[in-house]
């Protein structure tokens, strides 16, 4: 199914679901029931490989805007990923009612710069959204992401009930599940995680950040968190993964809170291989990717390479 056709059909399904179901069942802390039939679609926003560029780059700079620009240029520049007239969805981690300094959410500075890059490339619209864990308005305000994204020209969306589609994710664990439609009804998806400790999955980077595209009772997935992460990475394949490693939450994740748990690293990773991105990023936590179950499973599933140097790697440590 062509993407434009899918967007049209998905919008129709959204309206039907809203009429038939009413409110209250899409959110992660509420009960929901299956709407039949779920939409079958794998949103693949990847671009064609180009051997002229590495699949992953890392740049370190105390000026975090320059770090992002340098890492992005190394993998081909924004024009490789966004074309004139396209709709782009940027997916930072905005899960928690925390300040930027606490490193539980993606840096607002990086989110704002990513929005500017997309608009400079000619994007017709840039949406910034996430399905938060704490109350959404407080998360977007306190993190600084709402202000930074809107100032840069983005449309910031706090999800409401009608914004979800029930989709068949076709995973081993994840089957029919509500997905925020802005992560499906778009031309490009840019995943912008922050690197941090996670008490259940050891870490959260790019693939774990995709939890934020889901509604429903996500805590039900925690019993098999590694498989659910791999299912999500199989389902939704971003155009680009931009990892915020400017501040790294070393302990107490995913929510954090103490500044004593935060290391300052001034680094940004850009990658077209989401496994390689996670593999490089977890080194900031003192971890080896081979010891992180969901990264190992993702490589076995064919989603990318743990050996990020073999994937093609460029590093600028300033």
């Amino acid at each position: 199914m062509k993407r434009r056709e899918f967007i049209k059909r998905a919008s129709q399904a959204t309206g039907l679901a809203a009429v038939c179901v009413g409110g209250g069942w899409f959110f992660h802390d509420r009960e929901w029931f299956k709407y039949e039939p779920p939409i079958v679609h794998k949103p693949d926003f990847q671009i064609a490989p180009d051997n002229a560029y590495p699949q992953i780059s890392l740049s370190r700079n105390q000026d975090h805007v320059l770090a992002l620009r340098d890492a992005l240029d190394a993998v081909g520049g924004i024009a490789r990923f966004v074309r004139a007239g396209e709709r782009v969805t940027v997916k930072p981690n905005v899960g928690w009612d925390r300040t930027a300094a606490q490193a539980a959410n993606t840096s607002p500075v990086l989110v704002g710069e990513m929005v500017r890059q997309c608009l400079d490339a000619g994007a017709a619209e840039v949406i910034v959204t996430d399905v938060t864990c704490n109350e959404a308005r407080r998360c977007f305000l306190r993190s600084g992401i709402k202000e930074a994204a809107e100032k840069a020209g983005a449309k910031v969306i706090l999800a409401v009930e009608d914004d979800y589609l029930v989709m068949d994710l076709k995973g081993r664990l994840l089957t029919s599940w509500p997905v925020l439609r802005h992560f499906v009804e778009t031309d490009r998806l840019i995943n912008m995680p922050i690197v941090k400790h996670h008490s259940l999955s050891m870490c959260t980077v790019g693939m774990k950040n995709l939890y934020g595209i889901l509604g429903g009772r996500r805590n039900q997935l925690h019993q098999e968190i590694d498989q659910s992460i791999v299912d999500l990475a199989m389902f939704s394949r971003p155009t680009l993964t931009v990892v915020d490693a400017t501040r790294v939450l070393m302990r107490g994740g995913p929510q954090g809170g103490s500044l004593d748990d935060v290391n300052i690293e001034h680094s940004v990773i850009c990658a077209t291989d989401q496994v390689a991105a996670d593999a490089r990023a977890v080194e900031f936590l003192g971890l080896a990717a081979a010891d992180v179950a969901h990264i190992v499973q993702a490589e076995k599933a064919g989603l990318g390479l743990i050996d990020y140097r073999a994937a093609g790697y460029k590093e600028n440590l300033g």
Side-chain angles (χ1 to χ4, degrees):
M1 184 188 302
K2 292 182 179 179
R3 179 167 296 155
R4 294 293 183 187
E5 181 185 356
F6 167 76
I7 290 173
K8 180 179 179 181
R9 290 181 58 182
S11 297
Q12 292 170 341
T14 303
L16 179 59
V19 170
C20 296
V21 176
W25 56 277
F26 282 111
F27 290 98
H28 60 82
D29 58 347
R30 301 181 185 182
E31 295 290 344
W32 62 283
F33 61 86
K34 292 182 179 179
Y35 165 71
E36 297 294 345
I39 299 170
V40 178
H41 176 69
K42 279 188 176 293
D44 185 347
F45 304 108
Q46 297 177 109
I47 60 170
D50 187 335
N51 292 332
Y53 303 106
Q55 292 198 52
I56 175 171
S57 66
L58 180 149
S59 181
R60 180 176 299 160
N61 194 315
Q62 292 190 25
D63 184 327
H64 298 166
V65 168
L66 294 182
L68 172 54
R69 290 176 182 173
D70 186 65
L72 182 57
D73 286 346
V75 294
I78 191 63
R80 184 180 171 213
F81 302 101
V82 175
R83 295 176 180 170
E86 290 185 330
R87 178 190 294 178
V88 181
T89 298
V90 174
K91 199 281 182 216
N93 189 325
V94 202
W96 305 100
D97 181 7
R98 297 295 194 201
T99 66
Q102 291 169 305
N105 303 309
T106 306
S107 161
V109 173
L110 296 184
V111 175
E113 176 59 19
M114 197 69 240
V115 170
R116 281 188 287 273
Q117 290 278 336
C118 294
L119 291 173
D120 288 347
E125 182 179 49
V126 180
I127 290 171
V128 174
T129 190
D130 193 17
V131 181
T132 62
C133 298
N134 294 149
E135 198 271 321
R137 185 185 62 84
R138 288 190 59 85
C139 292
F140 273 88
L141 286 175
R142 196 171 183 211
S143 66
I145 288 175
K146 182 176 188 296
E147 180 180 4
E150 289 181 340
K151 186 176 181 180
K155 181 179 181 181
V156 174
I157 294 179
L158 278 60
V160 297
E161 294 165 5
D162 290 349
D163 284 340
Y164 290 85
L165 306 170
V166 177
M167 302 194 70
D168 185 354
L169 278 68
K170 291 191 172 299
R172 289 178 57 186
L173 178 68
L174 278 169
T175 53
S176 296
W177 206 271
V179 177
L180 189 61
R181 66 183 177 90
H182 306 295
F183 295 116
V184 179
E185 298 174 355
T186 189
D187 297 307
R188 300 294 176 192
L189 173 62
I190 296 178
N191 190 16
M192 293 194 72
I194 187 169
V195 186
K196 58 179 177 176
H197 166 259
H198 193 288
S199 57
L200 296 178
S201 58
M202 299 178 71
C203 61
T204 172
V205 194
M207 293 186 287
K208 175 64 176 66
N209 194 43
L210 294 173
Y211 254 59
I213 75 172
L214 298 177
R217 301 186 68 174
R218 298 190 309 217
N219 59 348
Q220 294 178 340
L221 305 174
H222 286 169
Q223 296 300 316
E224 297 184 67
I225 193 167
D226 296 313
Q227 184 60 54
S228 65
I229 293 171
V230 176
D231 283 355
L232 270 170
M234 289 287 289
F235 169 73
S236 182
R237 305 194 182 197
T239 309
L240 180 68
T241 299
V242 180
V243 181
D244 174 10
T246 58
R247 306 174 72 86
V248 177
L249 181 62
M250 303 296 291
R251 296 168 294 277
Q255 189 167 183
S258 172
L259 297 183
D260 292 338
D261 292 334
V262 178
N263 281 358
I264 309 300
E265 298 288 356
H266 299 305
S267 298
V268 176
I269 296 169
C270 287
T272 54
D273 180 327
Q274 53 184 337
V275 176
D278 282 22
R280 176 62 184 91
V282 298
E283 293 180 1
F284 287 103
L285 295 167
L287 299 172
D291 296 327
V292 180
H294 67 264
I295 300 178
V296 173
Q297 291 177 28
E299 183 183 58
K300 289 179 179 177
L303 287 169
L305 296 177
I306 285 178
D307 184 354
Y308 58 83
R309 295 186 186 279
Y313 175 65
K314 182 178 180 181
E315 186 175 82
N316 179 6
L317 300 181

